[in-house]
Amino acid sequence: MRIGNGYDFHRLVEGRPLILGGIEIPYHLGLLGHSDADLLTHAITDALLGAACLGDIGQHFPPSDPQWKGVSSLLLLEKVLELVHAKDFTLSNVDAVVVAERPKLAAHIPGIRESLSKVLGLPVDRLSVKATTQEGLGPIGEGLAMACYAVVLLNEPQPILAM
Ligand code: MG
């Protein structure tokens, strides 16, 4: 098996939708970024790249490239999953934790898992998404930003045994 970890951090600003796992969460602030700034999807994407030793999300989708401007991060995740499958890895499970002081995410987590499950082709019981706060401390605690940590496990291609 191969393990990969991913991390992402974005500022919260006015005038942007808050997208997590491809789902729009009602809130008066959204994450700032070149794409839709979906940091949960970005962290999972980077974890997949890490497990397959395929570089990082910035190399594959540079912010300087206009074709990724405003794009759904689910599309980036889909493209990376294709690269992972091309190396004959299969995805075993995902575990992610979003660090956000506000809004409360518990009610949205089932919808987020459902959304990511469709893109990853992974049953929801292998796709864990959790949320925690920063106890009011630092930029996340003050509601100025959010972060996300994710780990994924890939199954290596099975060796063909000589008879
Ligand atoms: Mg990001």
Side-chain angles (χ1 to χ4, degrees):
M1 290 191 136
R2 298 274 198 107
I3 193 167
N5 81 94
Y7 170 76
D8 201 16
F9 179 99
H10 282 257
R11 289 169 192 261
L12 279 163
V13 294
E14 287 180 3
R16 296 264 306 177
L18 174 58
I19 312 283
L20 291 175
I23 297 288
E24 184 165 350
I25 312 288
Y27 193 49
H28 68 288
L29 303 175
L31 295 164
L32 181 64
H34 186 66
S35 64
D36 63 2
D38 179 344
L39 88 180
L40 168 58
T41 301
H42 290 180
I44 294 172
T45 303
D46 230 15
L48 280 170
L49 287 168
C53 220
L54 286 169
D56 66 45
I57 193 168
Q59 292 170 342
H60 289 268
F61 312 105
S64 54
D65 188 337
Q67 71 170 307
W68 309 121
K69 189 171 164 54
V71 83
S72 167
S73 297
L74 295 182
L75 182 73
L76 312 184
L77 179 59
E78 231 170 54
K79 287 187 174 293
V80 163
L81 192 65
E82 281 169 19
L83 298 176
V84 166
H85 286 159
K87 288 188 87 175
D88 289 332
F89 291 117
T90 53
L91 181 54
S92 177
N93 75 302
V94 173
D95 182 30
V97 56
V98 178
V99 191
E101 204 68 20
R102 287 176 297 274
K104 291 293 171 208
L105 297 174
H108 303 289
I109 282 180
I112 290 172
R113 290 173 67 209
E114 203 56 57
S115 164
L116 290 170
S117 158
K118 281 185 197 142
V119 176
L120 292 169
L122 194 66
V124 284
D125 67 355
R126 286 174 173 265
L127 207 166
S128 161
V129 175
K130 312 188 297 292
T132 190
T133 71
Q134 195 89 315
E135 297 279 329
L137 296 174
I140 294 173
E142 290 166 18
L144 301 173
M146 287 185 181
C148 184
Y149 300 86
V151 289
V152 307
L153 211 57
L154 297 181
N155 297 307
E156 295 229 45
Q158 293 300 311
I160 297 163
L161 300 173
M163 295 298 283

